[in-house]
Amino acid sequence: MSLIEIQNLRKEYSDIIPLKDVTVSIEKGEVISIIGPSGTGKSTLLRCLNRLETPTSGSIVIDGIDVCKKDADLPTLRKKMGMVFQSFNLFAHKTVIENIMMPQQDLLGKSAKESYNEAMIVLSKVGLEGKARSYPDELSGGQKQRVAIARALAMHPDILLFDEPTSALDPTMVSEVLAVIRSLAKTGLTMLIVTHEMRLAKDVSSRILFMNEGMIYEEGTPEQIFGDPQKEATRNFIFRILDWNYRLNAESTDIYGLMGSLEEFCMRQMLGKKASRNCQLAVEELSVNSLIPYIKDHPESSADLFVSAGENGTNMELALKLKGFDKDLDSLPGDEIAGAIFNGITTRLDTEKTDELRFGIKG
């Protein structure tokens, strides 16, 4: 029998049904990433697993025990299953070490000395042993989330659940939390990760579940889901996630909106610093010096910018499609696109399309 067996799981509220019919088996040691659009039941699935939510119908069998039964031993279940939330859930009036010691003492019956020693061990694993006496308000968001991970690890769970562990973080703090999750993925711990960080999902997962409309719409290896999705909804979602596009026209020449959108894309793809910097520089230079001035003078024109992320976080492509431009593509206003405007950070790529320019961006 699999470690986790979910059959026909359904969760209803008065106004919404986040889970309609979920059936899936999870083996011991698997790292499962759960992806999909917002509102498709991903977080609800995790909350049903550890019974923070009571399923409307269906069954969840964990290590041979149906945890949906009325007489299910929930305290024992939660000893086996740790959960890391979006919002950290740390006690502000207790120090870091106290936050990690308390559940060990309350749920596992450990002594103060035992729980303290374990807390220091797990803090060392997440690189925060020096913050043991600090209070949560003295930590950055990334540090708080690492403490939350340490607290879960101190319980020695068989299963660890992550519910969008980076969604509440400033982009500059995401990488430190993802580094910890990457490290844990190599330990053999069974993990389920609800995430919008596609690079993480591709790198650490043994299997990916794509959820849509309250069901597991498609599942497979990272190579299958990202490289050859079989269903249209999956393909549409993956395209939106892995590719960035922005249209400049007479109604939309907001450079700040454009660059903010691109920066968020680069962060979510966990692109290398050099590739991310070069991509943003190329797009900004092109837009400010060439596209926006031309569009303002020619309101009937528009420009679509597309950026595709490479598999290793460094290789990227920039495509430009123009409409209503009467200039030669190599001679737009300002510097020449294939020349000084990119200062050698891009390479012109051949394309058969007459209205399109393509560039490889150095990483």
Side-chain angles (χ1 to χ4, degrees), residues 33 35 178 182 195-205 208 222 226 241-242 265-272 275 308-316:
S33 288
I35 65 172
L178 296 182
R182 287 173 182 272
T195 184
H196 61 260
E197 304 288 350
M198 295 300 106
R199 187 71 56 186
L200 175 73
K202 287 190 285 186
D203 288 351
V204 307
S205 305
I208 291 176
F226 289 104
I241 292 296
L242 297 183
F265 169 79
C266 291
M267 291 297 300
R268 289 193 172 190
Q269 288 301 315
M270 296 170 59
L271 297 171
S308 298
E311 288 299 316
N312 59 7
T314 58
N315 298 326
M316 306 177 70

Side-chain angles (χ1 to χ4, degrees), residues 244-255 258-259 281-307 318-337 341-342 355-357 359:
W244 172 87
N245 69 278
Y246 198 97
R247 170 165 288 186
L248 291 170
N249 56 30
E251 289 75 37
S252 177
T253 55
D254 178 9
I255 187 64
L258 182 152
M259 295 309 299
L281 175 62
V283 170
E284 183 176 19
E285 290 284 343
L286 174 60
S287 301
V288 171
N289 290 337
S290 297
L291 300 179
I292 291 177
Y294 188 89
I295 290 171
K296 286 183 176 179
D297 290 340
H298 304 79
E300 74 287 353
S301 64
S302 65
D304 287 300
L305 296 125
F306 300 86
V307 171
L318 167 63
L320 169 67
K321 294 184 179 180
L322 304 177
K323 182 179 180 181
F325 279 70
D326 58 9
K327 295 276 187 177
D328 185 275
L329 289 181
D330 284 334
S331 311
L332 286 173
D335 296 319
E336 290 186 356
I337 292 179
I341 192 171
F342 295 125
D355 65 339
E356 179 178 291
L357 286 173
F359 301 91

